[in-house]
Amino acid sequence: MTGTNKIRYAVVGLGWFAQEAALPAFTNTDNSELVALVSDDVTKLQEISQKYGIQHTYSYEEYEDCLTSGEIDAVYIALPNHLHREYTVRAANQAIHVLCEKPMAVTEQECEAMIKAAKDNGVKLMIAYRLHLEPANLQAVEIVRSQQIGEARVFNSVFTQQVEGGNIRLRNVTGGGTIYDIGIYCINAARYLFQDEPTEVFAVAATKGEQRFSEVEEMASVILRFPNERLATFTCSFGAAKVSTYQVVGTKGDLRVESAYTWHGELKHYLTIDGETQEQTFAQHDQLAAEFKYFSDCILQDKDPEPSGIEGLNDVRIIQAIYQSIETGQPVQVQTLDRSQRPTADQTIKRPANEDQPELIRAAAPSGNS
């Protein structure tokens, strides 16, 4: 580790999200430094390394060289879902800390292998749940916990967007599909707002027969049963207009959060108690910078990250149960691991919004717009 108390990162995978959200975020942290890039796209490596002044670039074949180079302390893995396990385990085996994008992996066995590798090698493993540090979502947790809306009974969410044909999210082999990609946000939000784990799931999928949905469902609707007879429902879609919202309804009132899952732009609360509604706006923050800062702090201070491998594993177990329910048409029981730690307002990290709109190099947003 460098003497400047900065954790040195390699970013592995240079797709749309890595380019638009992650790479610019390093300039917004005081304890994290971008020093290496890993990709098989020579054009991306050349142009992005030039833009950010990065000396060290590697192909995927050279990943091991990157890990053993002595140049990095941690990797941020922004690869397709089916590669998360391999690239996490390989990093952990070289004593490199891992911040891995969600979903953690495609199966629970892959998640367990990642947790074991991190434990065996004494490295930190964090799953990139950026909303566990985001002010509006953490404030929502506090509102529900403090019972301002009475006893929370209902969670409902809609998360939809258009995904262009040919996008990796529409491929089965890479771990695509609506639940893995965006449904995971709804599952995770229900878990942190109810501060509990679901015991049973029921789900249905629908597809109109468009060619782009030949491998994965166009949309899915899910019911999660929680202890104390609470219900969470959500619908996610790759074939509908952009909506990102959730509502928690309690015995005395409700809280609605608009653009709840966004990584840029402002978020809004609509809190209604006894028929009176209060609005609160949360300004845009650099959520990725907050994430890098938090993970680097965990490494520097030898703390366990709250969005741990267990957090990632629980979501993947729930996702697998959801797909089982879709296939069988039956409710499916879920076995999750107990979580002693859950996100609270104490974890809030605010970093100023990054106004830089990077030009995308051979990458596009899921909607096809650059």
Side-chain angles (χ1 to χ4, degrees):
M1 216 174 293
T2 52
T4 56
N5 269 4
K6 280 193 175 187
I7 299 299
R8 301 166 300 164
Y9 285 81
V11 169
V12 185
L14 297 174
W16 157 73
F17 192 72
Q19 287 191 40
E20 193 155 300
L23 297 176
F26 283 95
T27 56
N28 235 339
T29 71
D30 50 8
N31 62 1
S32 311
E33 191 180 1
L34 176 61
V35 298
L37 302 171
V38 184
S39 172
D40 266 355
D41 190 315
V42 177
T43 307
K44 285 181 182 177
L45 287 177
Q46 283 175 348
E47 295 191 24
I48 294 171
S49 62
Q50 203 173 345
K51 175 176 178 176
Y52 291 99
I54 293 158
Q55 308 292 314
H56 311 293
T57 61
Y58 299 89
S59 67
Y60 293 127
E61 211 166 78
E62 297 165 329
Y63 184 52
E64 214 64 29
D65 298 337
C66 173
L67 296 173
T68 58
S69 64
E71 295 151 7
I72 67 165
D73 307 304
V75 289
Y76 167 66
I77 295 175
L79 292 165
N81 302 337
H82 71 302
L83 297 173
H84 288 183
R85 180 200 60 80
E86 181 198 336
Y87 280 78
T88 294
V89 169
R90 286 171 68 186
N93 286 342
Q94 297 297 348
I96 299 294
H97 303 284
V98 180
L99 173 57
C100 180
E101 264 307 334
K102 62 202 167 309
M104 182 176 179
V106 181
T107 68
E108 63 184 270
Q109 291 77 11
E110 289 179 336
C111 296
E112 283 161 355
M114 293 160 75
I115 292 167
K116 183 178 187 304
K119 196 174 171 188
D120 288 351
N121 293 284
V123 298
K124 306 289 181 201
L125 169 62
M126 174 171 148
I127 310 305
Y129 289 103
R130 52 186 167 74
L131 299 180
H132 287 215
L133 307 166
E134 192 280 315
N137 277 275
L138 293 177
Q139 197 54 48
V141 168
E142 297 305 330
I143 287 168
V144 175
R145 278 180 59 180
S146 64
Q147 298 211 327
Q148 286 181 53
I149 58 169
E151 184 197 344
R153 301 294 299 141
V154 176
F155 169 91
N156 184 37
S157 183
V158 175
F159 194 8
T160 53
Q161 62 184 46
Q162 287 288 354
V163 175
E164 197 179 47
N167 188 281
I168 198 162
R169 289 160 182 78
L170 301 174
R171 296 190 61 201
N172 190 32
V173 67
T174 55
T178 58
I179 311 284
Y180 279 110
D181 190 62
I182 55 178
I184 189 169
Y185 285 91
C186 309
I187 295 164
N188 200 257
R191 290 176 53 235
Y192 59 68
L193 290 160
F194 281 162
Q195 301 264 299
D196 219 333
E197 300 297 336
T199 56
E200 186 181 29
V201 305
F202 180 68
V204 292
T207 306
K208 263 196 321 209
E210 282 182 63
Q211 179 54 38
R212 62 179 161 151
F213 301 118
S214 58
E215 292 187 35
V216 304
E217 71 286 348
E218 177 192 337
M219 61 180 174
S221 283
V222 177
I223 303 171
L224 305 171
R225 183 190 294 280
F226 279 81
N228 302 323
E229 292 297 292
R230 293 166 295 176
L231 294 176
T233 62
F234 68 86
T235 298
C236 52
S237 170
F238 280 163
K242 204 171 186 176
V243 173
S244 161
T245 180
Y246 65 68
Q247 185 177 26
V248 192
V249 184
T251 49
K252 291 186 198 156
D254 74 277
L255 172 68
R256 187 161 54 87
V257 182
E258 285 288 341
S259 294
Y261 309 117
T262 189
W263 60 273
H264 61 88
E266 59 182 36
L267 284 80
K268 283 199 164 174
H269 275 196
Y270 299 89
L271 177 62
T272 305
I273 298 167
D274 296 331
E276 294 282 315
T277 302
Q278 292 175 308
E279 275 183 45
Q280 187 178 356
T281 300
F282 295 80
Q284 175 171 336
H285 290 286
D286 189 335
Q287 295 182 15
L288 274 285
E291 198 166 62
F292 291 128
K293 177 177 168 47
Y294 175 80
F295 187 52
S296 295
D297 274 344
C298 287
I299 297 168
L300 292 164
Q301 297 164 21
D302 193 22
K303 293 188 307 192
D304 291 330
E306 177 275 312
S308 63
I310 302 293
E311 181 71 1
L313 168 62
N314 277 357
D315 275 342
V316 170
R317 280 189 172 177
I318 295 161
I319 289 168
Q320 288 196 287
I322 288 168
Y323 278 116
Q324 192 187 333
S325 179
I326 288 169
E327 278 172 34
T328 61
Q330 299 296 318
V332 175
Q333 302 291 313
V334 187
Q335 297 295 322
T336 51
L337 298 171
D338 278 346
R339 292 283 288 128
S340 54
Q341 260 189 308
R342 293 191 187 272
T344 67
D346 297 343
Q347 273 176 214
T348 307
I349 296 178
K350 295 182 184 177
R351 302 304 299 163
N354 201 327
E355 301 303 334
D356 181 22
Q357 263 288 321
E359 198 179 316
L360 297 178
I361 319 279
R362 291 160 63 93
S367 63
N369 304 322
S370 61

